């Protein structure tokens, strides 16, 4: 990727995916800057502290970065959000996004959506189309509504938006199932208490290494998009692993550290959580000429995830 003098703003730059994206892009974008409500003081790129729900906190920064391309990683991403958290979810994921579009007026806006917009969906049905959405969770609904917001924004302004519906992103520092299992094993190293999991070990997800995800965000910044368009893709591997499959890889790594992990998979799946989400990535492969990660690469990323949470 060639170096550029153009500015670039990454919101949520201290988060799991945002940090990986910034690390990959910073050598090529000298004017990269982050925006985060809890900045990492060790980050080698400048970061403005702000909550995207509050316009006043971003006004000065926006005046310096107006028109720059933006990768918008800041989000409230809890699929099983408690009732009390719903205002924050919609305030961040919808009004926060509107605030950024209005204040910064980016010419290109790269927006991470989620496979949760599909509800229950096999690969054949999980095509990256606006008509494919049927979210079960309010988080998924907030992201699909964000996609509609971007559609209307591109029509109104003639700017570009790229929507990337993400699978379950894994890698060093990830969130979700893997750190839950690791922390449980550290608390009960002899396996004396089982970790409580759901769906009889048959819940299917597209587990995707974060390095692959970051590479697609990078490619999105330099692709010659048609002016004033919204483009939509899935980012995943195109195959699924069950939560039992993932747990077996985690157990294998934990045994090397002398930790025993026992699990009970017989808890029910909540009404707001899908049994299966498998992403069709054929259009991603054609557009960016990429090869999605293999099963071996995904298992290696699961192992890296485990080790990062054992430190």
């Amino acid at each position: 990727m060639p170096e550029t003098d153009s500015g670039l703003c990454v919101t949520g730059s201290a988060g799991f995916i945002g940090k990986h994206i910034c690390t990959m892009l910073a050598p090529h974008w000298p004017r990269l800057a982050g925006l985060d409500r809890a900045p990492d003081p060790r980050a080698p790129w400048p970061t403005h502290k702000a909550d995207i729900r509050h316009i006043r906190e971003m006004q000065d920064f926006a005046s310096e970065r107006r028109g720059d391309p933006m990768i918008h990683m800041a989000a409230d991403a809890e699929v099983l959000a408690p009732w009390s958290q719903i205002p924050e979810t919609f305030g961040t994921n919808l009004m926060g996004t509107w605030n950024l579009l209005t204040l910064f007026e980016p010419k290109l806006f790269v927006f991470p959506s989620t496979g949760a917009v599909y509800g229950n969906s096999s690969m054949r049905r999980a095509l990256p189309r606006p008509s494919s959405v049927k979210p079960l969770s309010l988080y998924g609904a907030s992201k699909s509504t964000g996609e509609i917001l971007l559609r209307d924004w591109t029509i109104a302004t003639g700017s570009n938006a790229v929507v990337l519906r993400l699978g379950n992103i894994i890698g060093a520092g990830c969130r979700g199932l893997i750190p839950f299992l690791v922390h449980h094993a550290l608390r009960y190293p002899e396996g004396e208490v089982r970790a409580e999991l759901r769906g009889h070990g048959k819940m299917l997800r597209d587990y995707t290494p974060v390095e692959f995800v970051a590479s697609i965000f990078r490619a999105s910044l330099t692709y010659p998009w048609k002016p004033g368009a919204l483009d939509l893709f899935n980012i995943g591997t195109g195959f699924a692993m069950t939560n039992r499959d993932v747990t077996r890889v985690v157990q294998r790594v934990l045994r090397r550290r002398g930790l025993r992990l026992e699990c009970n998979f017989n808890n029910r799946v909540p009404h707001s959580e899908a049994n299966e989400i498998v992403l069709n990535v054929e259009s991603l492969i054609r557009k960016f000429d990429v090869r999605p990660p293999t099963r071996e690469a995904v298992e290696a990323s699961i192992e890296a995830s485990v080790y990062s949470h054992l430190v």
Side-chain angles (χ1 to χ4, degrees), residues 214-290:
S215 72
I216 300 300
F217 276 89
R218 179 181 63 184
S220 299
L221 292 172
T222 55
Y223 191 86
W225 302 109
K226 181 180 177 181
L230 183 148
D231 291 88
L232 174 61
F233 303 93
N234 290 331
I235 301 185
T237 63
F239 66 87
M241 294 177 68
T242 67
N243 54 346
R244 190 183 296 275
D245 292 333
V246 174
T247 298
R248 285 171 177 158
V249 179
V250 174
Q251 288 171 320
R252 184 174 71 213
V253 179
L254 292 174
R255 282 195 295 269
R256 298 172 192 163
R257 294 292 184 93
L259 299 171
R260 181 177 178 182
L261 174 66
E262 297 292 337
C263 300
N264 172 32
F265 289 94
N266 295 326
N267 295 286
R268 68 178 182 85
V269 178
H271 65 277
S272 59
E273 191 172 20
N275 284 296
E276 61 178 59
I277 304 174
V278 190
L279 302 179
N280 186 308
V281 295
E282 292 175 3
S283 62
L284 181 80
I285 294 170
R286 290 194 302 269
K287 177 65 70 173
F288 295 108
D289 191 25
V290 293

Side-chain angles (χ1 to χ4, degrees), residues 32-67:
L32 181 150
L35 189 154
D36 202 287
R37 63 182 177 185
D40 182 353
R42 299 165 297 178
W45 46 82
T47 305
H48 180 79
K49 182 178 180 180
D51 187 323
I52 63 173
R53 293 175 297 174
H54 306 312
I55 286 179
R56 289 184 179 179
E57 296 181 11
M58 299 185 290
Q59 284 178 326
D60 291 343
F61 182 61
S63 66
E64 301 170 2
R65 292 284 172 168
R66 191 163 285 116

